Amino acid sequence: MLQIGVIIPALNPDEKLITLIQEITNKKNLNLPITNLIIIDDGSDSDHDNIFDQLSKLAIPKLTILHHKKNLGKGAALKTGFTFAQKHFPDLTGIATMDSDGQHTVEALNSCLKKFSLNPDQLVIGVRHFTNSVPFRSQFGNVLTSKLVRILTHQNISDTQTGLRIIPMTYTKDLISFPGNRFEFEFDMLLQAKKFNIKVVEQPIPTIISRVLSSVVNYVINHRIVFNHAGQRTFIKYGCLFIVQMLASGFFTNALTSLLPITNGQLMPTVAKMIVDFILFIISYQIQRDFIFKEVSQNVQ
């Protein structure tokens, strides 16, 4: 019987983590049984102690919460979880990794478990789409890194940054010795897979479409209210602008983040994104005003 453990790194989580744990433990028809849940508190501040206290009070026998005294990075948190699982749960067949922010649903986990059950020696990754579950700055990076991974590993990997993965237990023993301790660790996991005879397979996962809906709402407001129905073929033009702006946001946010002082957590990426998105907002407005929703002059006879 295949057995799966779940590892969730968490830095300053909110109630979404509690909801996720409850949904996993209450799911009766998972394709593979979840025998152990491991949460790694990666140096969260004291304002979030109540989240971990609430998790402890759930009294779930198979739930373990480990703590880092300071933020060490997602890679380090995963390594802590892998080491703990190998020591205390050596009979696990594989380990599922999930993010703590609620972007991974139990249904998505279940679909990946089903894929993993077909071949427990493969690494299954949940492949996302350009939706609300994927930050703008991650989307542009995915395009570049997926092509790089395909060239280096000869494996088709379209989403290198997804945190939803089912990893063979045997591979976790090798992963512990990998050098990276932050987000590069997940990339290296895919990059080195072939070296350790691990095949990476993809499983499409359910996505949230609120970002698309939001862009449509913005278009309607701009077209009807801000620019009073002006322009021609505005929907197509606006859609092209939306895609370009999304990619530009990812590229320039990453570039600016690399120039800012290095800190733990998401402070600098957040600051960079605010600056970039504000500048792009100004540019986007001018493009909409002067090109997309530009009023067409009528010829007077």
Side-chain angles (χ1 to χ4, degrees), residues 45-159:
D45 58 42
S46 58
D47 292 338
H48 295 81
D49 287 345
N50 65 310
I51 298 296
F52 297 103
D53 291 340
Q54 291 181 59
L55 287 168
S56 299
K57 292 177 182 178
L58 293 177
I60 300 174
K62 58 185 178 183
L63 174 63
T64 302
I65 302 177
L66 306 177
H67 299 272
H68 287 170
K69 292 183 179 180
K70 63 178 182 179
N71 175 246
L72 300 178
K74 189 177 183 181
L78 289 173
K79 291 178 186 178
T80 296
F82 294 154
T83 302
F84 185 86
Q86 289 168 19
K87 181 178 179 179
H88 297 277
F89 315 118
D91 294 331
L92 290 176
T93 311
I95 292 180
T97 63
M98 304 180 73
D99 293 339
S100 64
D101 57 5
Q103 67 170 287
H104 300 144
T105 65
V106 177
E107 288 73 20
L109 170 64
N110 204 25
S111 64
C112 290
L113 290 174
K114 184 177 180 179
K115 178 78 100 176
F116 184 79
S117 67
L118 301 176
N119 193 333
D121 295 323
Q122 297 179 341
L123 194 166
V124 178
I125 61 175
V127 177
R128 308 162 299 175
H129 301 285
F130 292 121
T131 67
N132 194 47
S133 62
V134 188
F136 279 169
R137 66 190 185 92
S138 299
Q139 296 168 358
F140 184 81
N142 253 337
V143 175
L144 298 181
T145 55
S146 62
K147 291 184 180 299
L148 176 62
V149 170
R150 185 178 296 113
I151 293 172
L152 296 177
T153 68
H154 304 288
Q155 299 197 67
N156 291 322
I157 302 173
S158 61
D159 189 352

Side-chain angles (χ1 to χ4, degrees), residues 2-291:
L2 302 182
Q3 299 182 34
I4 301 295
V6 175
I7 293 178
I8 305 176
L11 174 62
N12 298 329
D14 56 22
E15 287 77 8
K16 295 186 184 72
L17 177 57
I18 298 175
T19 301
L20 176 60
I21 295 300
Q22 291 174 326
E23 289 178 349
I24 292 175
T25 54
N26 293 333
K27 194 73 173 180
K28 304 299 182 183
N29 58 341
L30 286 171
N31 285 300
L32 292 176
I34 303 299
T35 57
N36 302 97
L37 288 162
I38 305 171
I39 297 175
I40 297 88
D41 166 20
D42 188 28
S44 299
D45 58 42
S46 58
D47 292 338
H48 295 81
D49 287 345
N50 65 310
I51 298 296
F52 297 103
D53 291 340
Q54 291 181 59
L55 287 168
S56 299
K57 292 177 182 178
L58 293 177
I60 300 174
K62 58 185 178 183
L63 174 63
T64 302
I65 302 177
L66 306 177
H67 299 272
H68 287 170
K69 292 183 179 180
K70 63 178 182 179
N71 175 246
L72 300 178
K74 189 177 183 181
L78 289 173
K79 291 178 186 178
T80 296
F82 294 154
T83 302
F84 185 86
Q86 289 168 19
K87 181 178 179 179
H88 297 277
F89 315 118
D91 294 331
L92 290 176
T93 311
I95 292 180
T97 63
M98 304 180 73
D99 293 339
S100 64
D101 57 5
Q103 67 170 287
H104 300 144
T105 65
V106 177
E107 288 73 20
L109 170 64
N110 204 25
S111 64
C112 290
L113 290 174
K114 184 177 180 179
K115 178 78 100 176
F116 184 79
S117 67
L118 301 176
N119 193 333
D121 295 323
Q122 297 179 341
L123 194 166
V124 178
I125 61 175
V127 177
R128 308 162 299 175
H129 301 285
F130 292 121
T131 67
N132 194 47
S133 62
V134 188
F136 279 169
R137 66 190 185 92
S138 299
Q139 296 168 358
F140 184 81
N142 253 337
V143 175
L144 298 181
T145 55
S146 62
K147 291 184 180 299
L148 176 62
V149 170
R150 185 178 296 113
I151 293 172
L152 296 177
T153 68
H154 304 288
Q155 299 197 67
N156 291 322
I157 302 173
S158 61
D159 189 352
T160 61
Q161 299 175 25
T162 176
L164 178 55
R165 308 178 179 195
I166 316 294
I167 307 166
M169 190 66 169
T170 53
Y171 191 32
T172 65
K173 297 177 181 179
D174 301 309
L175 293 174
I176 290 175
S177 63
F178 281 23
N181 283 331
R182 296 194 177 274
F183 288 100
E184 73 275 9
F185 173 78
E186 290 184 297
F187 176 67
D188 205 23
M189 181 192 303
L190 302 177
L191 194 63
Q192 300 293 333
K194 189 174 183 179
K195 175 182 176 181
F196 293 93
N197 298 315
I198 299 294
K199 182 178 180 180
V200 180
V201 296
E202 297 187 342
Q203 173 61 38
I205 58 177
T207 56
I208 303 171
I209 63 171
S210 57
R211 175 165 293 162
V212 177
L213 293 177
S214 175
S215 66
V216 173
V217 171
N218 287 336
Y219 164 78
V220 172
I221 293 175
N222 289 340
H223 186 215
R224 297 185 177 182
I225 300 176
V226 179
F227 296 104
N228 195 27
H229 297 273
Q232 295 180 338
R233 296 188 179 91
T234 55
F235 188 78
I236 296 176
K237 294 176 182 177
Y238 188 88
C240 293
L241 175 64
F242 171 75
I243 294 173
V244 171
Q245 185 174 350
M246 177 181 66
L247 295 177
S249 176
F251 176 79
F252 289 113
T253 298
N254 278 332
L256 182 57
T257 300
S258 66
L259 298 176
L260 294 174
I262 299 176
T263 62
N264 290 329
Q266 294 296 309
L267 176 59
M268 289 301 107
T270 300
V271 171
K273 181 169 175 53
M274 291 174 62
I275 295 173
V276 169
D277 283 353
F278 176 75
I279 295 174
L280 289 177
F281 170 79
I282 301 300
I283 297 174
S284 173
Y285 176 80
Q286 293 176 336
I287 292 174
Q288 292 179 55
R289 180 194 62 192
D290 299 335
F291 177 67

